[in-house]
Amino acid sequence: MGALHRNAPGVAMLRTTRRKFIHNTAYAAGAVWLSHASMAMRLAAMTPLSQKFSAADTVTLGKTGIQTSRLAMGTGTVGSGHHSHQTALGVDGLSRLLLNGYDNGLRFFDAADSYGSHPHVAEALKHVDRSKVTLLSKSWARDAEGMRADLDRFRSELKTDYIDIVLMHCQTEADWTTKHRAAMDVLSEAKVKGTIRAHGCSCHSIEALRAAAKSPWVDVDLARMNPIGAVMDADPETVASVLREMRAAGKAVVGMKILGQGALRDRQDEAIRYALGMGLLDAFTIGAESIDEQKDLIRRISAAA
């Protein structure tokens, strides 16, 4: 005990030094990351785009053959528990927002069971040519029985015979392509029958994203991407490297969290230029919350060049 007592000041000094080292290392790492994020934003603002873009540009989603608008109308800002900022507008309010987008050339409706937006989308679909709309929805089902039930219910709620794209929502596990194979097989069968046109996933971890890139089953991936890494699976360059692999395999990549779930609300032009200029996104989804906000978003995309 006496020896330990005599060495106590030295032990305390080592602990203090270690704490300082960890703090300084973390601070340095954070500073490097912020520097990289700031640089990405500056480059996005300064680098001229190679072409002009518009929200209504017709794009082809990977090898699916599905043609739609560059901008998808998101219905799930802070979407969970069958509610989102968009569904808070009510069925009439959100359907009017979707119809305004349609009148301005937007043909991509991004829905999900967890957003509770199916009735709102169904109301909008009553007033448009269904064949001109790309309808995407997402299921949390992880087994065959649940996925079959969801497909039937989704089509009933959306009042449509088919859904263009159905994604397995919010994949986080590295082994999801084997663990959830039964649900995936149901979607494969539905594509053969024509009740869906393509299937895939939305990813919420870098491990799940890497698994999606390697899976031949994935037709479409909904991936989080913005220049500062806000609400993303990893830093932008790490995510971009996986998206390059996806594109090389012919998968469709649809970007989400383009504005970092609000973190880039005051730097929208730079974030949009980044999404357009990286050359990795076939399309991207952003959820406007009013017609004025939607019009402003459409204007910003056209002005990006």
Side-chain angles (χ1 to χ4, degrees):
M1 291 294 293
L4 180 60
H5 178 75
R6 284 193 301 272
N7 290 333
V11 171
M13 185 177 294
L14 286 172
R15 287 173 177 167
T16 300
T17 302
R18 182 173 181 273
R19 280 197 299 270
K20 287 182 178 178
F21 174 77
I22 291 171
H23 172 79
N24 291 340
T25 301
Y27 180 83
V32 169
W33 167 238
L34 288 173
S35 175
H36 282 231
S38 178
M39 183 178 294
M41 294 299 288
R42 288 198 300 272
L43 289 174
M46 295 168 58
T47 305
L49 297 176
S50 60
Q51 66 182 88
K52 284 197 168 187
F53 296 92
S54 82
D57 286 338
T58 298
V59 301
T60 301
L61 301 180
K63 291 182 179 179
T64 66
I66 296 172
Q67 293 189 316
T68 191
S69 59
R70 184 178 305 282
L71 178 63
M73 291 182 282
T75 63
T77 302
V78 193
S80 64
H82 302 283
H83 183 271
S84 73
H85 288 185
Q86 284 74 30
T87 59
L89 300 172
V91 170
D92 289 343
L94 180 48
S95 64
R96 281 197 299 271
L97 183 61
L98 294 171
L99 290 172
N100 183 76
Y102 183 90
D103 290 342
N104 283 277
L106 306 186
R107 297 291 187 263
F108 201 165
F109 292 14
D110 173 17
D113 186 34
S114 65
Y115 309 158
S117 57
H118 288 169
H120 311 68
V121 171
E123 178 60 31
L125 289 176
K126 291 179 184 177
H127 307 284
V128 300
D129 183 342
R130 170 68 183 91
S131 68
K132 292 182 179 179
V133 172
T134 299
L135 179 55
L136 180 153
S137 193
K138 313 174 193 77
S139 167
W140 277 88
R142 298 297 191 252
D143 57 36
E145 182 180 3
M147 186 60 76
R148 286 194 187 95
D150 272 5
L151 289 179
D152 289 342
R153 178 169 59 84
F154 286 11
R155 287 184 295 142
S156 176
E157 291 174 350
L158 291 160
K159 299 184 179 359
T160 183
D161 294 331
Y162 70 98
I163 303 172
D164 297 276
I165 304 167
V166 175
L167 304 182
M168 297 187 69
H169 205 165
C170 196
Q171 294 295 346
T172 60
E173 299 162 299
D175 62 347
W176 73 266
T177 56
T178 54
K179 184 178 287 187
H180 304 145
R181 174 56 60 179
M184 294 162 64
D185 288 344
V186 170
L187 290 176
S188 295
E189 293 166 7
K191 187 166 75 167
V192 172
K193 292 177 181 177
T195 51
I196 70 172
R197 297 176 65 192
H199 44 60
C201 61
S202 66
C203 293
H204 287 251
S205 79
I206 192 63
E207 294 80 13
L209 191 69
R210 286 176 172 142
K214 290 176 170 53
S215 171
W217 179 86
V218 173
D219 300 323
V220 180
D221 185 86
L222 189 59
R224 302 188 286 187
M225 194 68 195
N226 59 71
I228 63 170
V231 200
M232 277 178 53
D233 302 325
D235 65 273
E237 183 48 43
T238 298
V239 172
S241 68
V242 182
L243 300 189
R244 290 186 195 103
E245 182 182 351
M246 287 185 170
R247 288 295 297 269
K251 302 181 189 303
V253 180
V254 179
M256 61 174 168
K257 299 293 186 283
I258 301 302
L259 301 181
Q261 198 166 297
L264 292 165
R265 182 170 290 275
D266 296 331
R267 304 184 75 176
Q268 292 184 57
D269 293 335
E270 294 155 288
I272 288 168
R273 287 174 62 84
Y274 182 79
L276 293 170
M278 65 191 308
L280 295 175
L281 306 179
D282 295 301
F284 51 83
T285 182
I286 300 177
E289 297 178 26
S290 69
I291 287 176
D292 285 344
E293 191 173 295
Q294 184 183 74
K295 288 179 178 178
D296 181 64
L297 183 59
I298 292 169
R299 179 194 62 77
R300 288 176 187 272
I301 293 171
S302 294

